[in-house]
Structure formats: C-alpha cells, structure tokens
Amino acid sequence: SLGFFAGTSAMVPPLLAAGYRWMIKARNKLLDESADACIATLGVTVPSQPALTAGINGQNYVLTWNTPTAMFPIDHYVIARGVTQANAALIALAYTTQYQARVDFSGTISFWVAAVDIAGNTGPAALAQLTVTPPTAPAVTTQVIDNNVLLSWSDATRTLPIATYQLSKGPDFATALVIGTKAGLFTTVFETAAGTYDYWVAGIDSAGTIGTPGGITATVNAPPDYVLHSDLFSGFGGTLVNAVLDEGTVTMPVDTESSWAQHFTGHAWSGPSDQIGAGFPIFAQPALASGSYEEVIDYGATLAATNVTVTPTTVALAGSPSWSVTISSSDTGPAGPWIDYPDAAQVYLTNFRWLKVRVTASSPDSASLLVMSALEIKLDVKLKNDAGTIIANAGDAGGTAVPFNVAFVDVTSITVTAQGTSPRTAVTQFSGQPYPASFQVLLFDASGNRVSGAVSWAAKGY
C-alpha cells in the first residue's frame, strides 16, 4: 500500500523500470471503502541511448554526448572502456555530457557511455571508437665534423603530440644502446673513436608509445687532440648493498637479508596474494630507503690528468626512485685513503691510479625500485694547445722564460722553431713538473754559440 491521500492525486518516488498497476479506492470519514477499485497502470522505461562522439584534443581523448530522453531526470553517466560492453572496465562516472582524460593507449579502443536516471535505471550504452597511431618513422640526416655527429630529423607526429625523441646507437634498433632523448629535431653526438656508427631516432608520443624508428649510418673521424684512456662497461662484479644482481641487472634498494618466509611473515602476509592486496605487486617490494652498487678499478699506472665520466643506464621498475653517483680516487692503494666527489657523475682528476665508483638508489616511498642495466666508466682528456713567438735573449741564464697562455695540468710536448734566414737551432729547457707556468728557450748558431733572436713555439698538454 502506498498510503492514504486526502486529494485526488498522489506523488510516488522514482521507480525502477518495469510495468506497474495501482488500485485506487475511495473512503469516507467512517472509513468505508468503495466496493470497486479504479485501476491505473504505468510502464517505467530506462533512459534512451545517448548519441556519442569521440575525438582527440592534444594529449587527451574527449567523449561528448547529448542528454537522452528519459522518464525521470538523468543523475549521471557511466563511462567504460573495452572491446565489448560485457567486458568493458568502468573508468569514470560523469555528471556532465563530456569527459576527457589523457590518452594512455595505442591502437583502437572502444568507449561505452550509458545514462543512469535518479531511480537507478541504466539505459543502453552508446559506442564510440578511437584509433591512436604511433609516431611515424622520422627522416634522419647527418653531418660529420671530425668526431662530432650532427643529427637532424623530421617531425614524427601522428595522432598524439611527441613528448620526446629516443636516440639509440647500434646495428639493430631492437638491441641498440639508448644514448639519450631530445625534445627537438636536432642533436650532436661526440664519438671518442673513429669508425662507422649506426644511429636510430624514434618518436615517443604523450602516451609513452615508441614509434617506428628512422636510421642512418655515419663514418666518424678520430677526434682531434683527444685521448681516450679507458672506456669500461662494468660486469657488476663489485659490492652490492641492499641490492640484488639478477640476469645482468642490478635492482635496488631491496631487502636482501630476509628469507622467503620472513619476507611475508615480517609484514603479516600469509602469501603473495596478501602482498598484492597491500599494493606491492613486485616481490622485491616494499623497497628500503636506499641501496648501492660500488666498484673499485685499478688502472695499473698513475694518470696525471683525466676526465672521468660515469654513466649508469637505469629505469624505474616501480614508483619514482632517484640515483646519484659518487666518484673517489686514490694513488695509494685499493683500500684508499680516498678523495671523494659526492653527487658527481663527471670529475676532472689528477695523479690517481685507483678509482672507486658508487651508484646509490634512493626510494621516496616503499614502492619505488630502480633497475640498473649498464654502467659505463670512461676516462678521457681533451688536449689543450698553446703557441706564440718570443725573442730569445742570449744573456738570460738558463734560457729565456716563456710563460704559457693557458693553464696546463701537464704538458706533453713543446716544439720550438728558430725564425729568420740564418742557420740557428732553438732548444727548450722544461722540468716537466705538474701545473707548469712556463718553460725556457735557448737559441744557438751553427757554431754552437748562444745568440739572440726570434723563436716560435707551440705546446700541447692537458
């Protein structure tokens, strides 16, 4: 019974979709009811199907639809994504006739939108499909200047805007080494040795999809005035702290002390399902605060002046981990004492034989994990050149001092040439000490007598 009403009409709450039949009788003040009932029927229907359209706006997809006809006011709209409506996953409830979100897919995706009225009746869903095409292959061109490779490429944009371009080097794109990313359409690559190199450029769109790569081959000359002392790729045979080596990669920071059973019981989990339910789908989670990999290298001889560059290749396995590099040097022994250079992936060192490299991973939360797949340690130096002309004075004891115009750590060669038409010979006097400020020049005639005259000179060093 809906109740008793004094008037000739009554309001009933919104009803679920179905056919309804009411019987209405009159009753007097003595509570006597009419013998016969008046019959009223009503069929409640669900909202109709909206007209749905889908499009791309920048890095977002946009769904737009009309307000469908409905017996009761529309409360909200159900938005789902999937191949069929039956297996579509709910992605949002919308209270307007438009919904947009960032594109996180590639290929063709089906969207479904259905109206729900205030009684909870859900109407038939409308279908709209969107196709997102990965970035196209850019046309790559190159220009080589000595050992500098200048790479340019065309815009690879297709459906979504390009977030960045991935640069790789190697004979095959699938196995090529990633050497960097670039937001524009140009970059330079500095090669440390002469040879023929294959370069690949692939666009990465705002959804993170890597497009078809464009490739080019360049022949590179030896770098002028450049010395490569060592280019080492670590085999990860060093010291692991809160880190684990598995199939050639280092994962950190992780708990390596707990056993399989302790890993679960220590967090009050009965098994993997409890761990996943707690929000940690990777066995190595929860992460520790920090972990590190450290390696000591003996170069066999003392190096006078060298630029040290440490390049780890890393990827976030989960969350947002960060990493830092500490470089240390010693000329005493593999146990130190060490001179430390924290938070420095590149330093200029002098007079060292042993190098210690430590890569530290830090986790801002218990979910973040870092994987290091490669660690390159390069020792090189760019030679400096200096030159000039001076007047050698025969009266200068020990020779005429010639100050350098540039700051040297070590000078590797000095050449002097007597100027003029008379047969004369210029010689140098140089102690070879570190951080030299000058050298001496003496000028002799054909009989071996010191004379005065013009001398040109050139010096090369670090």
Side-chain angles (χ1 to χ4, degrees):
S1 173
L2 293 179
F4 300 95
F5 303 92
T8 57
S9 65
M11 297 290 292
V12 296
L15 302 170
L16 294 176
Y20 294 89
R21 184 171 181 266
W22 288 276
M23 293 180 295
I24 305 170
K25 286 186 176 183
R27 189 168 69 169
N28 62 22
K29 292 182 178 180
L30 297 177
L31 305 182
D32 297 322
E33 294 184 352
S34 60
D36 298 320
C38 178
I39 305 299
T41 61
L42 176 69
V44 176
T45 59
V46 300
S48 63
Q49 184 183 73
L52 176 64
T53 61
I56 299 290
N57 183 15
Q59 62 184 5
N60 296 328
Y61 64 87
V62 181
L63 305 177
T64 305
W65 58 92
N66 68 324
T67 302
T69 58
M71 182 170 288
F72 302 124
I74 300 299
D75 180 72
H76 64 273
Y77 299 90
V78 177
I79 305 172
R81 189 170 89 176
V83 177
T84 65
Q85 186 179 2
N87 64 12
L90 175 68
I91 58 175
L93 298 180
Y95 293 87
T96 65
T97 56
Q98 187 180 86
Y99 175 79
Q100 68 174 346
R102 183 163 179 167
V103 176
D104 58 356
F105 59 87
S106 183
T108 300
I109 293 293
S110 298
F111 294 95
W112 306 84
V113 175
V116 181
D117 65 23
I118 58 175
N121 297 307
T122 303
L127 167 66
Q129 292 183 319
L130 270 180
T131 299
V132 174
T133 305
T136 188
V140 185
T141 59
T142 184
Q143 180 182 2
V144 179
I145 303 175
D146 291 329
N147 63 308
N148 293 288
V149 182
L150 285 62
L151 295 173
S152 301
W153 54 90
S154 61
D155 187 1
T157 302
R158 290 294 293 272
T159 306
L160 298 175
I162 296 293
T164 188
Y165 289 92
Q166 175 181 291
L167 310 175
S168 305
K169 182 172 67 174
D172 179 74
F173 176 73
T175 59
L177 176 67
V178 177
I179 59 176
T181 57
K182 199 73 173 182
L185 302 176
F186 172 80
T187 193
T188 60
V189 179
F190 179 86
E191 295 295 352
T192 58
T196 300
Y197 299 93
D198 296 309
Y199 301 98
W200 303 91
V201 180
I204 303 177
D205 64 24
S206 57
T209 302
I210 300 177
T212 305
I216 199 166
T217 299
T219 300
V220 181
N221 298 320
D225 297 331
Y226 175 86
V227 178
L228 178 63
H229 291 306
S230 173
D231 193 5
L232 171 68
F233 285 86
S234 175
F236 295 128
T239 302
L240 299 166
V241 176
N242 294 337
V244 61
L245 176 64
D246 182 34
E247 296 184 355
T249 64
V250 176
T251 303
M252 51 187 172
V254 298
D255 178 10
T256 59
E257 300 297 324
S258 299
S259 65
W260 172 272
Q262 291 169 338
H263 172 76
F264 295 107
T265 59
H267 297 92
W269 298 330
S270 60
S273 60
D274 286 348
Q275 177 177 343
I276 295 172
F280 301 112
I282 302 172
F283 177 76
Q285 295 169 324
L288 300 183
S290 65
S292 65
Y293 171 75
E294 184 176 282
E295 183 168 346
V296 176
I297 305 165
D298 180 5
Y299 288 98
T302 300
L303 302 175
T306 303
N307 187 51
V308 179
T309 304
V310 177
T311 307
T313 301
T314 65
V315 65
L317 178 61
S320 303
S322 60
W323 58 267
S324 63
V325 173
T326 297
I327 298 174
S328 305
S329 65
S330 173
D331 196 36
T332 305
W338 299 98
I339 301 174
D340 296 327
Y341 302 87
D343 295 322
Q346 186 177 67
V347 295
Y348 192 73
L349 302 180
T350 60
N351 300 323
F352 73 97
R353 171 176 168 175
W354 289 270
L355 193 70
K356 181 169 67 175
V357 174
R358 182 170 66 251
V359 179
T360 301
S362 300
S363 176
D365 51 50
S366 55
S368 297
L369 294 171
L370 184 80
V371 173
M372 180 168 60
S373 58
L375 180 62
E376 182 184 14
I377 304 164
K378 183 185 296 183
L379 274 61
D380 57 18
V381 65
K382 179 73 173 178
L383 297 181
K384 299 177 181 179
N385 293 287
D386 195 9
T389 301
I390 57 98
I391 300 298
N393 191 335
D396 291 336
T400 300
V402 181
F404 292 118
N405 301 307
V406 299
F408 285 111
V409 175
D410 187 27
V411 172
T412 58
S413 68
I414 300 174
T415 59
V416 290
T417 305
Q419 302 295 301
T421 57
S422 301
R424 293 176 176 178
T425 301
V427 297
T428 61
Q429 187 87 328
F430 180 59
S431 62
Q433 76 276 12
Y435 301 98
S438 64
F439 66 98
Q440 288 78 39
V441 171
L442 300 91
L443 189 62
F444 299 91
D445 62 17
S447 300
N449 302 310
R450 281 193 64 186
V451 295
S452 299
V455 175
S456 62
W457 62 273
K460 182 178 293 186
Y462 308 126

